[in-house]
Amino acid sequence: MSVALIIFVLAYIGIITEKINRALVACGGGLLMLLAGISTADEAFMKHIDWNTIALLFSMMILVSITSQNGIFEYIAIQMAQKVKGHPLPLLAVVGILTAVGSALLDNVTTVLLLVPIILTLTRILKVTSMPFLITVILSSNIGGTATLIGDPPNIMIGQAVKHLDFNDFLFNLAPIVGVIYVVIISGLLLFYKKRLVVDEAHRKALMKVNPEDYLKKGPLLVKSCVVLIMTIVGFLLHPILHTDLTNIAMAGAVLLLLITQNDHKVEEVFSSIEWVTLFFFIGLFILIGGLEEVGIIDEIARAILLYTEGDMPKTSIIILWGSGILSAFLDNIPFVAAMIPVITEFSGYGMTNLDPLWWSLALGSCLGGNGTLIGASANVVVAGLAMKENHEIKFVHFLLIGLPVVVVSLLISTVYIYFRYLLPFY
């Protein structure tokens, strides 16, 4: 246990300081877990690495890579900017709303994969810093993804584990408070960046003169890529009806698009554009967290939270909300939720007949807590990787100084909501 904790802490320090590429640090830490005998190769590759997440990311990167070569993202970016006449604050609000809604209806990883190329193109045209927009995308994706069953991986895991909770249950119980939290957070971001986001009048006027269609490469490739991308998104929306995994839908879309565009783009060229650094960072991180799981650290943390509450429902709900929120920021919410689900299920044996308040507390805490650090959620890592590729590096500490206050505010609002909607009858 001590060795696993030392390896994790050293790797985490390496990720925070950013002196070495984060993928190398994560993979190096994962390798040390294997060499120290904490995990075996079979456990790491068959149990701990979430290949569904890796495959989903890989598939969406292929779809976005091929589609982006048609100029469609530049077209959308210019249209968006012209609708708000190039003013940065209204544009920031529009980007945030699109991200939040997209993350709720699709999933937050897919949404940021689609939106980040648009945002980077937009900021280049307006000659304005991309950092406020990228940070807004990360925060909005995690908040918006909290609203539905398919929006964030922790919700998917909870929905699969608790059979009586369906898509509408998540929407009915989580969407109202997510809307309140989003309005508060986006208002705070607009105030925070009010004096920092300034666009030169000349750049704004130049933007208004641009014809968006000049960036659009019309032809069969544009039609093929857009049709397949739309089909994939529709597949995500019909996920509850199709009864197939989101990853299967994404892979089907990626393979189909590669097949019908192989005469336009070589497969080797498409694969060379994949964010391999991001994918290997995820792989290393999964092995690192898996090492903590193997020695029982994550499970002990989860049990300690529940033992402290002594079976009191209101106390348990609040502890789970704040505990999962804080720990998910630093440990990644996926393995933490995986450890918490069986522990909460066991509470039914202690006389707790209605566990729903605990599930909603876990969903809100784990999803919203992902905003705490740059590695707190999958969407954060994806945005950071896409930004890094375009030389727009998001510093770990810089994000931390914004993300942690956002998490605290989100959890405070969630506490009030959980108390009045679910816990008041217990007093």
Side-chain angles (χ1 to χ4, degrees):
M1 186 179 288
S2 299
V3 174
L5 195 57
I6 290 170
I7 292 173
F8 178 80
V9 170
L10 289 176
Y12 204 86
I13 292 172
I15 293 169
I16 293 174
T17 55
E18 298 178 328
K19 298 296 183 183
I20 305 175
N21 184 282
R22 61 167 65 98
L24 286 176
V25 174
C27 289
L31 179 60
L32 287 176
M33 290 285 190
L34 299 181
L35 293 175
I38 294 166
S39 297
T40 65
D42 285 343
E43 288 171 339
F45 287 92
M46 302 303 294
K47 177 182 175 183
H48 299 311
I49 298 176
D50 187 347
W51 291 111
N52 278 337
T53 299
I54 301 297
L56 175 63
L57 287 172
F58 180 71
S59 301
M60 290 309 301
M61 286 175 181
I62 290 175
L63 286 167
V64 172
S65 174
I66 297 176
T67 306
S68 64
Q69 297 180 39
N70 304 312
I72 185 68
F73 294 133
E74 288 85 350
Y75 175 81
I76 296 172
I78 295 170
Q79 286 277 26
M80 283 173 52
Q82 289 180 341
K83 291 292 182 182
V84 295
K85 303 188 185 304
H87 295 295
L89 284 178
L91 183 59
L92 189 71
V94 169
V95 166
I97 292 170
L98 283 175
T99 306
V101 173
S103 297
L105 296 178
L106 308 176
D107 67 272
N108 50 16
V109 171
T110 301
T111 300
V112 299
L113 277 168
L114 294 172
L115 286 180
V116 169
I118 298 175
I119 290 162
L120 293 177
T121 300
L122 196 56
T123 53
R124 278 197 298 269
I125 294 171
L126 290 173
K127 301 292 190 296
V128 66
T129 177
S130 63
M131 203 54 58
F133 294 92
L134 294 173
I135 289 175
T136 298
V137 164
I138 291 175
L139 299 178
S140 299
S141 68
N142 288 318
I143 295 172
T146 310
T148 66
L149 187 151
I150 63 171
D152 215 1
N155 283 3
I156 296 174
M157 295 166 67
I158 294 170
Q160 290 175 335
V162 188
K163 300 304 180 184
H164 71 273
L165 298 180
D166 59 22
F167 187 91
N168 291 331
D169 289 320
F170 276 80
L171 194 65
F172 178 73
N173 288 278
L174 299 182
I177 190 58
V178 165
V180 174
I181 292 171
Y182 180 75
V183 170
V184 172
I185 298 304
I186 198 68
S187 299
L189 287 172
L190 291 173
L191 288 173
F192 183 73
Y193 288 118
K194 185 176 182 180
K195 295 181 180 179
R196 305 184 188 193
L197 274 180
V198 179
V199 174
D200 187 275
E201 188 66 19
H203 293 143
R204 197 175 67 81
K205 289 182 177 179
L207 173 71
M208 298 306 295
K209 295 178 181 179
V210 172
N211 182 7
E213 294 194 6
D214 291 342
Y215 288 82
L216 206 57
K217 299 174 183 176
K218 298 180 180 180
L221 182 61
L222 173 63
V223 176
K224 291 175 184 177
S225 57
C226 287
V227 167
V228 173
L229 185 60
I230 292 170
M231 285 173 59
T232 305
I233 293 173
V234 171
F236 288 152
L237 292 173
L238 296 178
H239 163 256
I241 300 173
L242 297 175
H243 301 295
T244 186
D245 196 82
L246 295 175
T247 304
N248 295 339
I249 296 171
M251 287 193 298
V255 172
L256 176 61
L257 189 56
L258 284 171
L259 284 172
I260 64 177
T261 61
Q262 60 179 325
N263 294 328
D264 303 289
H265 296 289
K266 292 183 179 180
V267 175
E268 292 85 352
E269 293 176 353
V270 176
F271 281 0
S272 68
S273 67
I274 298 300
E275 298 290 330
W276 294 109
V277 172
T278 300
L279 294 179
F280 276 96
F281 175 75
F282 269 112
I283 290 172
L285 190 62
F286 282 133
I287 298 175
L288 266 175
I289 300 296
L292 297 185
E293 285 187 275
E294 285 299 322
V295 297
I297 291 177
I298 290 181
D299 193 51
E300 285 300 315
I301 292 172
R303 290 183 182 276
I305 293 172
L306 296 177
L307 286 173
Y308 175 75
T309 65
E310 299 178 342
D312 179 71
M313 175 60 80
K315 192 176 181 181
T316 303
S317 294
I318 301 304
I319 290 294
I320 288 177
L321 174 67
W322 281 86
S324 60
I326 294 170
L327 290 172
S328 293
F330 295 94
L331 293 180
D332 188 284
N333 50 22
I334 294 174
F336 180 80
V337 170
M340 285 295 294
I341 285 174
V343 179
I344 292 178
T345 303
E346 288 178 11
F347 262 60
S348 59
Y350 293 92
M352 289 188 178
T353 55
N354 180 18
L355 298 179
D356 286 0
L358 303 184
W359 295 123
W360 302 133
S361 295
L362 180 62
L364 286 169
S366 57
C367 294
L368 297 173
N371 276 329
T373 68
L374 207 52
I375 64 168
S378 304
N380 308 18
V381 180
V382 172
V383 173
L386 292 171
M388 177 78 76
K389 187 179 180 182
E390 298 294 329
N391 298 316
H392 296 267
E393 184 180 6
I394 304 175
K395 293 291 185 182
F396 189 96
V397 175
H398 176 72
F399 183 83
L400 183 73
L401 294 175
I402 297 174
L404 276 184
V406 167
V407 169
V408 172
V409 172
S410 300
L411 293 180
L412 284 171
I413 297 172
S414 298
T415 301
V416 175
Y417 175 74
I418 290 289
Y419 176 80
F420 281 102
R421 182 161 183 179
Y422 304 110
L423 303 181
L424 206 55
F426 288 92
Y427 285 101

